[in-house]
Amino acid sequence: MTISPSTDRRTALALGLAGLATSATPALATTVRTALTTPPAGTAASPRRRVRLADGWRFALGHASDMERDFDFGRYQRTYAKPGFDVSPATQADFDDSAWTSVRVPHDWAVELPYAPPKAPVPKDKEDMAAGHGFRAIGRDFPQNSVGWYRCKLPVGAGGGLVERGRAIWLEFDGVFRDCKVFVNGYEAGGSASGYAPFRVDIADFLDYDGGPNQLTLRVDASLGEGWFYEGAGIYRHVDLVSAAPIHVPQWGTCVRSTVDGTGAQVAIATTLANAAEVAGAAQLRHRVLGPDGREVAAIAAQPAIALAPGAQTTLDQALALPAPQLWSPETPQLYTLETSVLVDGQEVDRTQTRFGIRTLSFDGTHGFAVNGKPVKLLGVCNHQDHAGVGTAIPDALHAWRVAQTQSMGANAWRSAHNPPAQALLDICDATGMMMVAETRLNTTNPEAMDELDRMILSSRNHPAIILWSVGNEEGHQGTERGRRISAQLVARCKQLDPTRLTTQAMDKGWDGGAADAVDVVGFNYRTDKIPAWRQRHPGKPVIGTETASTVATRGAYANDAAAHVVRAYDTEHPWWASTAEEWWQIVAAEPGIAGGFIWTGFDYRGEPTPYAQFPSVSSYFGAMDLCGFPKDNYYYYRAWWRRDAPLVHLLPHWNWAGREGQPIEVWVHGNCAEVELLLNGRSLGRKAMPQNGHLAWSVPYAPGRIEARGYNQGRLAARDSRVTAGRPAALRLSADRTRLAADGGDTAAVRVEVIDAAGNLVPTADTALDFSLSGAARIIGLGNGNPTSTEPDKGDARRAFNGLAQALVQSAGAAGGARLSATAVGLAPASLDLFFHA
């Protein structure tokens, strides 16, 4: 494919110029789940009450331009004249929502919308935002699909029994896309314009404490997007209801920082106390630190009481020492827990727990990046928040599965592009050692942008996984003095809220000035070949590849077909601004002073369909894995060189080439063994030395049968891989990352569906139509197949396989017991998989 270098990357993207390894996944998922849900030993119930609002929601589409179809929102033109009245009948407790759809949060309504291909070709000089968002029927052109309403009865008041008058009561939203208004009993209590930044809404003033219902209503308007990629719509992250004593630690009110020296670790604790009462009060703080094994390792006794006026807040700084700390690192992600108690008249009235890690980080322009003084190359992936079947509403267990898939490839770092990550994802990264670059959405200094930056940092600064704050991505002003001023203000705010971390900005040009002069670590988006010369001009300045590669591929396809929107999966295809995996990695691997790089991307994602921006391409082709998380062949290039301690050979392509007998087939081997021998039907085709950070290639006349690659180290067989000529599809096969799950209503299994022949071999070209059924204590929450041109529904009970594979996401329905997933296809032997959900 030919792409003009005269077009900038963003425009080029808009114009379209541009088996599953699960061996470690079950154990990892179980470990993560235990680490994140099990309270430390000896911990009593907290006086604070927290309820996750996942079930009991009702949903309906409103309308962005028709008040009658938007539940009369704004009809009276005095929506805010009398708070609590005349907003919309849908905000009141007595509104009949029985016709609304029952949904579970997290929820993305956009993933269920139909596709809407453009009626006429988009002019080449204009961005096609419909393509950018995956051609879903949402946005200003689809007002009937762009506003969503949510209703949920709150378990509060005399009837709910969870909170009582006089307590501080609030809601915590981790992410709602976007322009959200939150109503309680008809009163607008708060909201957020941002589709990504977490936010809090205080609701105590608006509750009925006398036995009446308490109605929570959200109006969410996704008419306008914030990005050039699929962003979803709705309450796509967790919502928690929190009730605390009048004097309490508010949300994000604890900050833990540590330094390490020869005597151990010094832990600084900053705790904010808030008084929500109408009268003055006083309280004491008490801390204890629990080690990774849950045992107490340090404590701070209660200090003299702190006086608080009504509505006041104050922050207390304290410190403690840990003589022999267990350090957090990617290899040993040790986590401590700070337990903070608030005492009033000697009685504990509030308690919070804050997980943290103890580690040191350093970036150096000569030596690169180090954790706890040990050099670490950042082997990173960039990812949007999007998965087959569920869109942006990714369950926690699926986050964990995606992290496990990425770590199996050898990655140790994740860049959250281009927005703050979910707290659930950060918890998983903390527990598994996956380092994170957290990025704010807006590179500007208006009040909204600064507030979003504040919320990102305050919510996330205790996570040891975060190694950098990113203040922008490919901004139009990045190389200018204005861009420097803006980024300098953002960096200053980052340092004010969190002086322990450095900052970066992802730039695709202008690295000799502008924002590059404002941040601590300069980020190169692509142009990796320019970094060595830049380092000569800027000696000592730390640098990373914030986006690298951008290789495009269709999983399991090995010939370009522009008419069918198919891109071959050899490491050869990429837009003009990008490079192959080998090209960028060979540069970064050879330069210790380059701290590492983040490939674009770990997973395919909806929208930004590159290299084809025309329907039916509805997702990108960039990922090392497809939209389901099934590895493409480049996955194994990174797996070979990012996990050199584990011998590997990976052979491509498949070996089903009927009609091409005797014709040459391009055969590649990714691997890290010293030598590789290729055999066809038992006959050796020669042995070759594997180039460092490279691959091997042969041209092999096709003959049906078995082609095999054998890897040797010091003359001994160390790894092997093979492909066989599969027969006709004969049966289905199901497997899952785990078959024992928690009966919590949220735990989710990623089920792999394979189309196989009579001998049990994957049929690599099968596009079989599949039907699914499920019985027992579970539900199917989404289906996918990794085909970037598939426009089948993500929800339902039917999906075609794509190049032999499909995926079903099966989630706990909230009750203990068994469940059976069955898959059928016309003319094939069916398959079933039993899952067990335990209390």
Side-chain angles (χ1 to χ4, degrees):
M1 55 194 67
T2 303
I3 302 172
S4 168
S6 64
T7 307
D8 68 77
R9 174 177 174 268
R10 183 70 45 73
T11 302
L13 284 170
L15 300 179
L17 300 180
L20 181 61
T22 60
S23 58
T25 304
L28 177 80
T30 301
T31 300
V32 171
R33 173 164 220 42
T34 301
L36 299 183
T37 60
T38 304
T43 302
S46 172
R48 173 177 294 219
R49 300 153 196 179
R50 178 180 292 271
V51 179
R52 177 141 292 170
L53 301 180
D55 294 304
W57 291 89
R58 311 287 287 185
F59 171 79
L61 287 172
H63 202 285
S65 59
D66 186 337
M67 289 180 291
E68 289 187 2
R69 298 165 66 184
D70 198 31
F71 304 101
D72 286 331
F73 181 75
R75 166 175 290 278
Y76 303 104
Q77 301 186 39
R78 53 187 175 90
T79 294
Y80 300 104
K82 295 294 181 181
F85 303 91
D86 295 339
V87 175
S88 163
T91 67
Q92 301 296 330
D94 59 358
F95 177 79
D96 181 7
D97 60 14
S98 60
W100 290 24
T101 302
S102 177
V103 299
R104 190 175 198 276
V105 167
H107 175 250
D108 173 7
W109 86 71
V111 79
E112 302 184 52
L113 294 175
Y115 290 96
K119 297 178 181 178
V122 176
K124 289 295 184 181
D125 61 341
K126 295 186 179 298
E127 291 193 16
D128 185 355
M129 293 311 296
H133 287 79
F135 293 106
R136 293 285 183 173
I138 194 169
R140 286 184 295 183
D141 291 338
F142 302 95
Q144 73 278 16
N145 295 333
S146 299
V147 171
W149 288 78
Y150 293 87
R151 285 171 52 88
C152 178
K153 287 288 192 297
L154 291 172
V156 299
L162 292 180
V163 296
E164 62 273 359
R165 192 191 310 268
R167 291 175 67 86
I169 307 163
W170 67 87
L171 295 165
E172 295 179 1
F173 294 89
D174 195 33
V176 180
F177 196 88
R178 68 172 294 278
D179 196 8
C180 164
K181 297 182 182 298
V182 179
F183 301 93
V184 175
N185 294 331
Y187 290 83
E188 185 172 358
S192 174
S194 168
Y196 299 102
F199 62 100
R200 162 181 166 154
V201 177
D202 291 305
I203 64 172
D205 289 347
F206 311 114
L207 294 173
D208 184 330
Y209 299 99
D210 300 319
N214 283 293
Q215 180 64 52
L216 171 64
T217 306
L218 275 72
R219 183 183 186 271
V220 183
D221 189 342
S223 299
L224 298 177
E226 297 186 40
W228 49 96
F229 42 86
Y230 177 84
E231 299 182 279
I235 311 175
Y236 67 95
R237 292 181 182 168
H238 291 308
V239 182
D240 285 353
L241 169 69
V242 183
S243 167
I247 299 181
H248 62 280
V249 178
Q251 184 188 27
W252 312 329
T254 304
C255 179
V256 184
R257 299 168 181 158
S258 62
T259 57
V260 180
D261 57 28
T263 65
Q266 304 300 314
V267 180
I269 304 167
T271 311
T272 299
L273 276 177
N275 182 10
E278 296 180 5
V279 297
Q284 298 170 286
L285 278 177
R286 181 179 67 202
H287 301 287
R288 66 176 188 143
V289 175
L290 308 178
D293 61 358
R295 299 179 182 179
E296 182 176 314
V297 295
I300 299 177
Q303 304 296 305
I306 303 165
L308 287 164
Q313 290 191 359
T314 190
T315 299
L316 180 66
D317 293 317
Q318 297 169 288
L320 53 81
L322 293 176
Q326 299 181 57
L327 301 183
W328 187 97
S329 72
E331 298 81 17
T332 59
Q334 302 286 1
L335 291 173
Y336 288 80
T337 301
L338 173 68
E339 187 177 273
T340 300
S341 296
V342 179
L343 309 177
V344 173
D345 296 329
Q347 298 296 312
E348 185 183 54
V349 298
D350 190 30
R351 188 191 322 137
T352 63
Q353 290 187 337
T354 305
R355 280 192 169 93
F356 68 97
I358 299 172
R359 84 285 187 269
T360 64
L361 307 174
S362 64
F363 283 89
D364 182 271
T366 303
H367 301 104
F369 175 62
V371 180
N372 303 323
K374 175 185 174 182
V376 175
K377 185 74 82 171
L378 291 171
L379 312 174
V381 296
C382 299
N383 283 314
H384 288 307
Q385 48 181 19
D386 182 15
H387 194 89
V390 293
T392 58
I394 300 176
D396 294 0
L398 187 56
H399 275 306
W401 184 87
R402 286 163 59 91
V403 170
Q405 286 292 94
T406 307
Q407 289 180 317
S408 291
M409 185 177 75
N412 61 17
W414 185 297
R415 175 172 168 240
S416 180
H418 300 289
N419 48 261
Q423 291 298 308
L425 176 58
L426 289 176
D427 287 340
I428 292 161
C429 291
D430 289 344
T432 61
M434 176 66 81
M435 296 178 286
M436 173 68 72
V437 176
E439 188 162 280
T440 192
R441 177 75 289 277
L442 298 176
N443 181 255
T444 187
T445 55
N446 63 42
E448 172 62 26
M450 297 302 288
D451 183 56
E452 291 182 22
L453 179 67
D454 285 3
R455 286 185 271 162
M456 178 182 77
I457 295 175
L458 292 174
S459 66
S460 304
R461 60 186 175 179
N462 290 319
H463 289 283
I466 294 180
I467 60 170
L468 285 168
W469 302 115
S470 174
V471 299
N473 175 75
E474 296 184 4
E475 308 298 335
H477 50 245
Q478 60 191 346
T480 67
E481 170 58 19
R482 178 187 295 140
R484 186 205 62 77
R485 292 196 304 269
I486 289 171
S487 290
Q489 290 297 314
L490 296 172
V491 168
R493 185 58 174 162
C494 289
K495 298 295 179 66
Q496 181 181 3
L497 295 176
D498 178 22
T500 71
R501 290 181 179 88
L502 299 182
T503 60
T504 189
Q505 183 164 327
M507 303 174 64
D508 62 348
K509 57 185 175 181
W511 306 280
D512 288 317
D517 291 340
V519 297
D520 304 294
V521 180
V522 175
F524 268 68
N525 278 13
Y526 316 106
R527 287 75 169 191
T528 312
D529 59 327
K530 298 182 181 297
I531 297 179
W534 177 89
R535 292 184 63 229
Q536 294 293 321
R537 298 194 302 274
H538 302 274
K541 183 78 171 183
V543 62
I544 58 174
T546 37
E547 290 179 21
T548 64
S550 267
T551 312
V552 289
T554 301
R555 175 185 53 78
Y558 300 99
N560 288 333
D561 185 341
H565 291 198
V566 172
V567 184
R568 72 188 210 138
Y570 298 92
D571 184 24
T572 57
E573 309 304 300
H574 59 82
W576 67 265
W577 63 80
S579 66
T580 67
E582 284 189 28
E583 287 169 346
W584 85 267
W585 176 241
Q586 287 177 355
I587 295 170
V588 172
E591 296 254 2
I594 304 177
F598 294 76
I599 64 171
W600 190 267
T601 51
F603 297 83
D604 281 348
Y605 54 93
R606 290 174 177 82
E608 205 169 36
T610 309
Y612 307 108
Q614 297 80 35
F615 194 80
S617 282
V618 294
S619 76
S620 79
Y621 293 64
F622 291 121
M625 292 168 277
D626 68 17
L627 197 61
C628 294
F630 296 137
K632 303 179 189 178
D633 293 284
N634 261 17
Y635 177 101
Y636 296 99
Y637 172 79
Y638 294 112
R639 160 65 180 80
W641 300 114
W642 289 1
R643 294 179 58 189
R644 294 176 183 236
D645 59 330
L648 172 82
V649 290
H650 172 77
L651 183 64
L652 64 146
H654 62 69
W655 209 238
N656 274 52
W657 299 101
R660 293 189 60 183
E661 287 77 6
Q663 298 179 26
I665 302 296
E666 187 177 3
V667 175
W668 281 30
V669 174
H670 292 308
N672 53 22
C673 296
E675 294 182 306
V676 176
E677 182 182 21
L678 189 68
L679 301 95
L680 177 60
N681 294 327
R683 181 174 64 88
S684 177
L685 302 180
R687 185 184 292 201
K688 297 182 180 182
M690 177 65 73
Q692 282 294 305
N693 301 308
H695 75 280
L696 293 173
W698 282 262
S699 179
V700 180
Y702 176 64
R706 179 186 185 88
I707 189 168
E708 181 180 6
R710 297 176 182 174
Y712 295 88
N713 287 329
Q714 297 180 337
R716 296 183 178 181
L717 182 66
R720 64 202 310 166
D721 194 21
S722 63
R723 300 288 177 266
V724 300
T725 304
R728 295 177 178 274
L732 304 177
R733 182 165 58 206
L734 305 182
S735 59
D737 62 311
R738 294 172 297 139
T739 56
R740 289 183 59 84
L741 297 94
D744 60 1
D747 204 1
T748 302
V751 179
R752 174 185 172 104
V753 185
E754 297 174 283
V755 180
I756 58 176
D757 67 8
N761 300 307
L762 178 74
V763 181
T765 58
D767 63 351
T768 310
L770 308 171
D771 291 297
F772 296 91
S773 61
L774 184 66
S775 62
R779 54 187 165 232
I780 299 173
I781 60 170
L783 301 169
N785 61 17
N787 182 356
T789 66
S790 174
T791 57
E792 298 170 271
D794 284 85
K795 307 295 183 180
D797 56 10
R799 190 81 177 198
R800 300 193 77 88
F802 176 64
N803 288 340
L805 298 176
Q807 184 178 70
L809 301 175
V810 180
Q811 186 176 66
S812 161
R820 172 168 290 183
L821 176 68
S822 298
T824 61
V826 175
L828 306 187
S832 63
L833 179 69
D834 289 327
L835 303 171
F836 180 75
F837 297 87
H838 60 86

